Amino acid sequence: GENVEQHPSTLSVQEGDSAVIKCTYSDSASNYFPWYKQELGKRPQLIIDIRSNVGEKKDQRIAVTLNKTAKHFSLHITETQPEDSAVYFCAASKGGSQGNLIFGKGTKLSVKP
Amino acid sequence: DTAVSQTPKYLVTQMGNDKSIKCEQNLGHDTMYWYKQDSKKFLKIMFSYNNKELIINETVPNRFSPKSPDKAHLNLHINSLELGDSAVYFCASSQDSPKGEQYFGPGTRLTVT
């Protein structure tokens, strides 16, 4: 089955710096790659996603890149702010109704003011 | 209006008891899920279910069983609770295909003493 590795497990940056979180996946049939943000005590919420027919997607300060050949994808956050502090999860799934999301183990991002 | 709701929010019970967690979504989604998030924040899929098929993660003990009275509800029943079942349980839902955003409920923190 699918296996998703996520690095680093913790990341501390200064406010205004960029943060990069990387994930690799094992199943070449996976074609949907979302990123979720989970603030302390809250539910995970989707912040951006990418599908296998796209190499890069951007939404304001957040971008995701996908390299299908190497089977890895990354989350980039620019101009980080203290409210970006949270746990970020990458995930991968296949298409179709039973393509369950397999999550990485999460990255705890701390943005210091 | 809450998109995905769960009850109860907190559940404290003793080993050996049987308990249920309820989940409801008002998004008209086809598929619902249960996830377990342990103390290390790992998010693991337990079940996915739509009106056609139940997919069970093979690592889930058969003490756990999902029950869906209708398309908008997926309840989680747990028999003979064990200490290791202590975790936060999240319900989620999504549109079936193409694979899209999963909307998570607020979570139920289960503590087994």
Side-chain angles (χ1 to χ4, degrees):
Chain A
E2 176 65 276
N3 183 47
V4 177
E5 298 285 339
Q6 183 172 347
H7 300 279
S9 56
T10 59
L11 179 59
S12 182
V13 300
Q14 209 64 36
E15 182 177 1
D17 288 350
S18 295
V20 180
I21 303 170
K22 298 183 179 182
C23 288
T24 60
Y25 61 99
S26 60
D27 191 338
S28 57
S30 291
N31 58 11
Y32 175 61
F33 308 93
W35 287 87
Y36 282 78
K37 175 183 180 182
Q38 186 178 26
E39 296 177 358
L40 189 63
K42 301 282 184 65
R43 72 190 79 190
Q45 291 191 294
L46 182 75
I47 54 172
I48 195 166
D49 57 9
I50 192 167
R51 298 183 189 275
S52 60
N53 58 343
V54 177
E56 184 174 354
K57 185 175 177 181
K58 195 171 182 180
D59 182 4
Q60 298 183 351
R61 297 185 297 108
I62 293 172
V64 58
T65 58
L66 171 65
N67 183 328
K68 279 214 76 182
T69 304
K71 288 190 280 189
H72 67 69
F73 55 113
S74 300
L75 178 71
H76 303 253
I77 306 174
T78 58
E79 300 173 26
T80 53
Q81 301 167 3
E83 50 265 39
D84 294 330
S85 296
V87 178
Y88 291 81
F89 294 94
C90 64
S93 82
K94 305 176 191 180
S97 60
Q98 300 305 336
N100 288 329
L101 283 180
I102 305 301
F103 283 86
K105 292 185 176 179
T107 296
K108 184 176 181 181
L109 173 65
S110 300
V111 180
K112 297 180 179 178
Chain B
D1 281 351
T2 304
V4 182
S5 59
Q6 291 177 231
T7 54
K9 190 169 174 63
Y10 301 96
L11 182 54
V12 181
T13 188
Q14 291 184 328
M15 284 174 52
N17 285 349
D18 303 337
K19 290 293 178 185
S20 296
I21 306 172
K22 295 185 177 181
C23 178
E24 177 181 1
Q25 55 97 2
N26 63 5
L27 298 166
H29 285 165
D30 301 295
T31 307
M32 296 183 73
Y33 312 82
W34 277 104
Y35 289 88
K36 179 181 180 180
Q37 187 170 45
D38 62 22
S39 57
K40 294 183 178 180
K41 303 298 184 187
F42 300 158
L43 261 175
K44 284 191 177 177
I45 182 76
M46 300 177 71
F47 307 99
S48 68
Y49 183 81
N50 62 21
N51 56 7
K52 302 169 191 172
E53 196 171 354
L54 171 68
I55 297 293
I56 301 171
N57 184 320
E58 59 189 13
T59 66
V60 175
N62 57 14
R63 297 181 295 103
F64 291 78
S65 57
K67 287 186 170 54
S68 180
D70 55 57
K71 189 178 165 181
H73 297 83
L74 183 65
N75 303 325
L76 182 65
H77 297 270
I78 316 170
N79 294 326
S80 303
L81 278 156
E82 300 177 357
L83 292 176
D85 297 333
S86 296
V88 179
Y89 292 84
F90 286 99
C91 175
S93 72
S94 73
Q95 201 58 278
D96 199 355
S97 185
K99 213 61 178 173
E101 178 176 0
Q102 289 194 13
Y103 290 80
F104 283 78
T108 295
R109 182 175 292 278
L110 172 65
T111 303
V112 183
T113 62

